[in-house]
Amino acid sequence: MELLKDLWQYLKENKKWWLAPVILVLLLIGVLLVVGGSSAIAPFIYTLF
């Protein structure tokens, strides 16, 4: 949680709002990979890529 708080402070102080969608997409891809690698829905997720 400390990393997220630091990242939010960086975005807010330096007005780098264009980084927010990039970070969000990377987080979503990471979650898909973690969930897809260890569950029964893995074949369905792999067809997306």
Side-chain angles (χ1 to χ4, degrees):
M1 291 305 287
E2 186 71 26
L3 177 68
L4 293 176
K5 188 167 46 170
D6 288 342
L7 185 61
W8 177 254
Q9 288 295 331
Y10 175 76
L11 291 175
K12 193 166 72 170
E13 288 175 10
N14 294 322
K15 308 288 191 230
K16 303 278 186 187
W17 297 114
W18 59 272
L19 282 174
V22 174
I23 294 169
L24 184 65
V25 167
L26 288 175
L27 285 174
L28 287 175
I29 290 173
V31 168
L32 272 176
L33 289 175
V34 168
V35 169
S38 62
S39 70
I41 62 170
F44 301 110
I45 293 175
Y46 289 136
T47 58
L48 294 175
F49 298 106

